[in-house]
Amino acid sequence: MTAPPPVRIVRRSRSLARPVRVRLFGVEVSIHFTWLIISVLIAWSLATGAFPRLHAGLPPASYWSMAAGVVIGLAASIILHELAHTLVGRAFGMSVHRITLFLLGGMAELDEEPKAPRDELFMALAGPAASLLLSLVFALAAAALQSIAAPAEAVIALGYLATFNLVLAVFNLTPAYPLDGGRVLRAALWMITGRPETATRVAARTSQGFAGILVLAGVVVAVSGHPAGFWWILIGLFVLAAATAALDHLAARRHLAGRPVRELMAHRVETAPSDMRLEAFVRHRLYATRHGVYPIVEMDRLIGVVEPADILATPRDRWAQTTLGDICAPLDRTRFVAPGEDAFAVLERMRTERRPRMLVIDRGALVGMVTLDDLLQRLALARRFEPEPAW
């Protein structure tokens, strides 16, 4: 599946949940900790449930080796599915900067939306086509090994991988945005109407309805005692969240695009003098104001910014001697925007870079600050007074 630009699954974390990252064809492949958890659960259910029940008579070590092979093959299959999206997207000039394996499968994160419905269509179909091809390859490999009396474990594992890839292809063709089928639906509607906004809105609304049906069906199946119902619920909630995010992204473009940041920024920004000691700043300013960033000035000239994390990185026994100017990040290493920049572009940049606020600087002078909360509140207000079209 491919994801709309605002969706970002992986966070830069210092915890034990930090994703594992590798690079393939110049694209970062990130393995989220939830994928590692679900891999263990899949291997356990296969080795202790499905394999012994369907292929009795093998030693326990065989079941576990088959389960490990299936899980590794499944991860590789999902990565290849997403790489197919990536390579086709590149051929049409689109950029995919990361592929993420997570709880519900894989996701290729687009840096920008397709520029034409044909681009969207071919990119969306590339993933399922790759999965169908992999299903055929695994099925032929299983048949070939069986014909030469190869170990049963290899034949069984390859057969399961063929089935998994077939299911992956069929499921992703479901017309639910942002699954591949939802993107195919969006591309078709785009071709018919010539309006990408209308196509996105209809595809997302359709996906919300599909997600609701899937969640309700999952509840019924789960209540009947079948664990598959919980998966249906999770997938339905994911599709619902993704479709809602697509509608939010569309609304943000509608209400913020074309508006300069100067119309939405806070014009009064609290600064701090460069010669102020950290101990005095924390005691008298930080506790009282609780801002996330403080511009530092020297002789009324902006020289950089300090964040609370910068202070915490300084040993406490040095707070009485260290000034804000000593630890501030200089302007050439500070993210800022110009007052004339497009508010929607700034919102996307803040979401992508995970920055809750940015200084607004005009020719070296601090003229304001824009925060993610301010932009989202402005968007929420506009949506109340200017309702979105139903379709």
Side-chain angles (χ1 to χ4, degrees):
M1 67 184 77
T2 53
V7 179
R8 291 286 185 262
I9 302 297
V10 179
R11 295 183 181 272
R12 304 290 180 182
S13 171
R14 297 176 182 270
S15 69
L16 292 176
R18 172 179 288 182
V20 178
R21 296 182 174 92
V22 296
R23 297 194 73 83
L24 291 175
F25 299 98
V27 178
E28 181 183 287
V29 178
S30 177
I31 304 175
H32 198 256
F33 78 97
T34 54
W35 169 256
L36 300 178
I37 293 174
I38 199 62
S39 296
V40 172
L41 291 177
I42 292 173
W44 177 80
S45 64
L46 289 174
T48 62
F51 286 158
R53 184 174 65 254
L54 299 174
H55 308 284
L58 297 174
S62 295
Y63 296 135
W64 280 103
S65 65
M66 288 190 297
V70 168
V71 168
I72 294 171
L74 181 59
S77 297
I78 293 174
I79 290 173
L80 290 173
H81 176 109
E82 301 302 333
L83 273 177
H85 289 308
T86 300
L87 297 177
V88 172
R90 280 183 178 177
F92 287 107
M94 287 177 283
S95 173
V96 179
H97 79 284
R98 183 187 298 129
I99 292 172
T100 301
L101 285 182
F102 70 114
L103 177 66
L104 297 178
M107 181 175 292
E109 300 178 27
L110 300 176
D111 288 334
E112 58 182 333
E113 285 285 83
K115 297 179 175 61
R118 182 198 61 170
D119 304 354
E120 172 108 273
L121 180 63
F122 281 101
M123 186 175 179
L125 290 174
S131 294
L132 288 173
L133 178 60
L134 285 171
S135 178
L136 178 61
V137 169
F138 283 127
L140 291 175
L145 289 180
Q146 189 172 27
S147 67
I148 61 174
E153 292 86 348
V155 176
I156 293 169
L158 289 171
Y160 270 80
L161 287 173
T163 301
F164 279 147
N165 274 278
L166 180 60
V167 171
L168 182 64
V170 173
F171 171 73
N172 270 282
L173 286 173
T174 303
Y177 196 84
L179 299 179
D180 301 330
R183 291 224 169 230
V184 170
L185 173 62
R186 178 177 182 265
L189 293 169
W190 189 353
M191 290 178 182
I192 294 170
T193 65
R195 296 169 56 88
E197 296 84 4
T198 300
T200 300
R201 188 174 293 112
V202 173
R205 296 291 188 201
T206 302
S207 299
Q208 288 179 324
F210 171 80
I213 294 173
L214 191 59
V215 170
L216 290 176
V219 170
V220 172
V221 172
V223 169
S224 68
H226 201 294
F230 294 104
W231 283 109
W232 293 13
I233 294 172
L234 279 176
I235 294 170
L237 292 176
F238 168 76
V239 171
L240 179 62
T244 302
L247 290 172
D248 290 343
H249 181 258
L250 195 63
R253 182 184 295 276
R254 179 184 178 214
H255 293 294
L256 297 181
R259 293 182 177 273
V261 166
R262 67 169 62 90
E263 295 183 5
L264 305 173
M265 71 183 185
H267 292 268
R268 297 184 61 182
V269 182
E270 182 173 351
T271 61
S274 63
D275 59 354
M276 192 173 193
R277 306 288 177 175
L278 300 190
E279 186 173 27
F281 175 78
V282 171
R283 186 180 302 274
H284 302 296
R285 297 285 296 276
L286 183 64
Y287 289 156
T289 55
R290 301 185 299 278
H291 296 321
V293 62
Y294 292 84
I296 307 303
V297 296
E298 184 176 272
M299 302 290 290
D300 294 327
R301 182 175 61 88
L302 180 66
I303 65 169
V305 297
V306 165
E307 299 182 8
D310 300 324
I311 300 173
L312 291 174
T314 305
R316 288 180 179 267
D317 58 4
R318 293 175 52 195
W319 284 10
Q321 295 79 35
T322 305
T323 67
L324 293 172
D326 294 332
I327 66 168
C328 76
L331 282 182
D332 59 0
R333 290 195 287 112
T334 302
R335 300 284 188 177
F336 60 86
V337 297
E341 288 192 46
D342 184 88
F344 176 73
V346 171
L347 174 64
E348 291 295 276
R349 180 178 167 190
M350 294 174 75
R351 282 172 162 171
T352 300
E353 298 179 3
R354 300 197 178 281
R355 293 185 177 276
R357 59 191 61 80
M358 282 187 174
L359 300 182
V360 183
I361 297 178
D362 186 18
R363 293 187 293 271
L366 177 66
V367 296
M369 180 182 293
V370 60
T371 69
L372 189 58
D373 284 343
D374 288 341
L375 292 177
L376 293 179
Q377 287 175 13
R378 170 65 176 79
L379 175 60
L381 188 63
R383 294 180 76 175
R384 288 181 62 188
F385 285 89
E386 302 173 46
E388 305 295 322
W391 294 97

